Amino acid sequence: MSKKQYFVVILILGALSTISPFSIDMYLPGFPSIAKNLGTSIANVQLSLTSYLVGIAIGQLFYGPLLDRFGRKKPLYIGLLIYVVASVACALSNSVENLILMRFIQAIGGCAGMVAAQAMVRDIFPVNKTAQAMALLMLVIAVSPMIAPTVGGFVTAHYDWHTIFMILAGITVVILMAAYFFLPDGAMPDAEVSLRPKQVVKKYVEVTKNRQFLVYMLIGGVAGAAPFAYISGSADVFMNIYGVTEQQYGWIFALLAFSMIGSTQLNHILLKKFTSQQIIKVALTYQTIIGFAMILGVWNGWLNVYTLIGMMFIFLTGHGLSNPNAAALTLAPFSRNAGSAAAMMGSMRMAMGGVVSGAVSVFHNGTANPMVIMMTFCAVGGLLTLVIDTNQKRVEKKRKALEEEKQHSMAV
């Protein structure tokens, strides 16, 4: 693969992966106007975000077997077409209930891009290059939060929130055409993959029996949900509590997204000297420390808008370090079942994102506390999972050494 081809492939895979981030981030500045236009509350509008995350979590489980059975392209095309139709339906919604439903269907379609992109990274690049490819992929993905809210704020201020969903539909049509003409096919269809529910469940169970997959899927799922707590609560925190405008909020969101871009590139350099496991541990450790500092600061009223942004900037750099490494380690054990493995990994992440964003909505109390508490909870959960697994490995290694020593003594 030439450098030009490499660049094009990463760009298209990144674009496929950014469909969902754009769908989440671009309409955030419109929350207040959506609530006003539909005659409902911010908390109810936040549920449209939760329904989107739930849709992604469910949808990915279906796309995994489909991508393994029919190859990467056909399920991808069908999913993107569903997304385009649902986006237009979102634009035409006249009630929050309808918006919540259409967002769910939109997610069912859009998640095809996410699963296919992750599986194709494993298809196209060798195992020892997947972490670097994932890091570059995350760089492309990380650009979307810098662009999407800014564009969303501009569109909301000068047009209306309905236009946002029409733009999303148009962007996806362009991505679909690029994937059709320029993206390699990836893994070929496998007729031996069964789509019967019993066999599908059996395959997912087999995938989860791999310890490395299970551990790093949990770490990536729990720790990776922290940005969703931020995404769910940030519009209310910055615009309603701190009084920033839609466009100012877009710039704040872009600044915080930059923290993940910088750390993603740093991760690319760190991988030359450190293992993915080491990077994940350090990232989750300092995220936990910063998280508790944010809780104390918000609880006691010590943080203004600038100090809160600064601490969140530092916290979110950890996501750019831990996320691509956890993804690479999760998918590393697989080749044939990479589609199913990628689907389970993505589903876990989005399911946790849905739970966390739902919790921020449920515990909404007019302060930043629900947001920062859930962000910290995610970092702590990921770190504890890693520590427990490391300790278990240490105990198993020691027990194995003692057994070998005992066998050696008996042989002597």
Side-chain angles (χ1 to χ4, degrees):
M1 186 182 297
S2 67
K3 289 184 178 180
K4 183 179 179 180
Q5 290 175 319
Y6 183 84
F7 174 79
V8 170
V9 168
I10 289 292
L11 187 62
I12 296 175
L13 292 177
L16 288 169
S17 300
T18 59
I19 291 173
S20 286
F22 256 86
S23 303
I24 293 169
D25 303 335
M26 195 167 172
Y27 90 133
L28 294 178
F31 271 23
S33 62
I34 293 173
K36 183 179 180 179
N37 182 255
L38 298 181
T40 187
S41 65
I42 289 274
N44 285 335
V45 176
Q46 287 175 336
L47 291 177
S48 68
L49 172 60
T50 301
S51 72
Y52 189 89
L53 297 175
V54 172
I56 294 178
I58 294 173
Q60 288 185 88
L61 293 176
F62 289 98
Y63 283 112
L66 291 173
L67 290 166
D68 288 333
R69 173 66 181 270
F70 299 108
R72 310 311 189 200
K73 289 290 190 73
K74 289 182 180 179
L76 173 63
Y77 298 153
I78 293 172
L80 295 185
L81 288 173
I82 292 172
Y83 176 92
V84 171
V85 174
S87 297
V88 175
C90 287
L92 300 176
S93 296
N94 55 11
S95 70
V96 71
E97 291 81 11
N98 189 65
L99 179 63
I100 291 171
L101 175 61
M102 289 302 104
R103 286 284 285 170
F104 177 83
I105 297 173
Q106 187 189 35
I108 294 292
C111 67
M114 182 182 300
V115 183
Q118 292 174 342
M120 292 182 80
V121 167
R122 184 62 185 84
D123 296 338
I124 297 170
F125 302 101
V127 174
N128 63 337
K129 297 293 183 180
T130 54
Q132 292 181 358
M134 281 287 185
L136 290 173
L137 196 64
M138 295 304 169
L139 173 61
V140 178
I141 295 171
V143 173
S144 64
M146 296 185 67
I147 301 172
T150 306
V151 174
F154 177 84
V155 172
T156 302
H158 293 83
Y159 299 95
D160 57 45
W161 64 269
H162 304 84
T163 308
I164 292 173
F165 290 102
M166 297 303 295
I167 293 173
L168 288 171
I171 291 172
T172 303
V173 170
V174 174
I175 295 172
L176 174 57
M177 298 301 292
Y180 180 82
F181 287 108
F182 302 110
L183 193 64
D185 290 333
M188 300 303 293
D190 187 349
E192 295 182 6
V193 175
S194 174
L195 296 180
R196 294 179 181 179
K198 185 177 180 180
Q199 294 299 318
V200 171
V201 172
K202 182 180 179 181
K203 175 164 287 189
Y204 278 128
V205 171
E206 289 177 358
V207 169
T208 57
K209 288 180 180 179
N210 184 285
R211 177 172 178 167
Q212 178 173 319
F213 169 82
L214 184 60
V215 169
Y216 286 99
M217 179 188 69
L218 291 173
I219 292 172
V222 176
F228 292 106
Y230 153 64
I231 290 169
S232 179
S234 60
D236 179 58
V237 169
F238 289 117
M239 288 194 283
N240 288 339
I241 298 176
Y242 291 104
V244 305
T245 66
E246 288 96 339
Q247 289 180 314
Q248 287 173 335
Y249 170 72
W251 286 112
I252 291 171
F253 205 96
L255 173 65
L256 293 177
F258 181 76
S259 67
M260 289 183 278
I261 293 178
S263 57
T264 299
Q265 287 305 287
L266 176 61
N267 180 65
H268 190 68
I269 297 172
L270 291 175
L271 282 169
K272 297 177 181 179
K273 295 185 178 180
F274 304 99
T275 65
S276 292
Q277 293 92 333
Q278 291 172 322
I279 295 171
I280 292 172
K281 185 176 181 180
V282 171
L284 293 179
T285 300
Y286 84 71
Q287 276 189 305
T288 298
I289 295 170
I290 294 296
F292 279 112
M294 282 196 297
I295 292 174
L296 288 173
V298 171
W299 192 273
N300 293 286
W302 295 337
L303 304 180
N304 57 30
V305 65
Y306 301 107
T307 51
L308 178 61
I309 291 172
M311 296 188 75
M312 292 183 71
F313 185 97
I314 298 172
F315 181 95
L316 290 172
T317 59
H319 181 72
L321 293 173
S322 64
N323 193 43
N325 287 294
L329 289 171
T330 302
L331 297 179
F334 302 99
S335 55
R336 183 182 177 189
N337 294 326
S340 296
M344 282 207 71
M345 177 183 71
S347 181
M348 175 63 181
R349 291 189 176 194
M350 292 303 162
M352 283 301 303
V355 170
V356 168
S357 66
V360 173
S361 177
V362 168
F363 295 111
H364 177 268
N365 60 1
T367 73
N369 280 313
M371 180 182 71
V372 297
I373 288 173
M374 293 310 300
M375 289 173 67
T376 306
F377 166 81
C378 293
V380 171
L383 182 60
L384 286 176
T385 304
L386 180 62
V387 170
I388 290 171
D389 178 63
T390 301
N391 288 338
Q392 286 181 339
K393 286 181 178 178
R394 188 180 295 114
V395 171
E396 290 173 4
K397 184 177 180 180
K398 185 176 181 179
R399 182 169 58 244
K400 185 177 180 179
L402 289 173
E403 289 177 356
E404 290 177 351
E405 184 179 348
K406 183 178 179 180
Q407 291 176 357
H408 179 72
S409 298
M410 292 177 64
V412 173

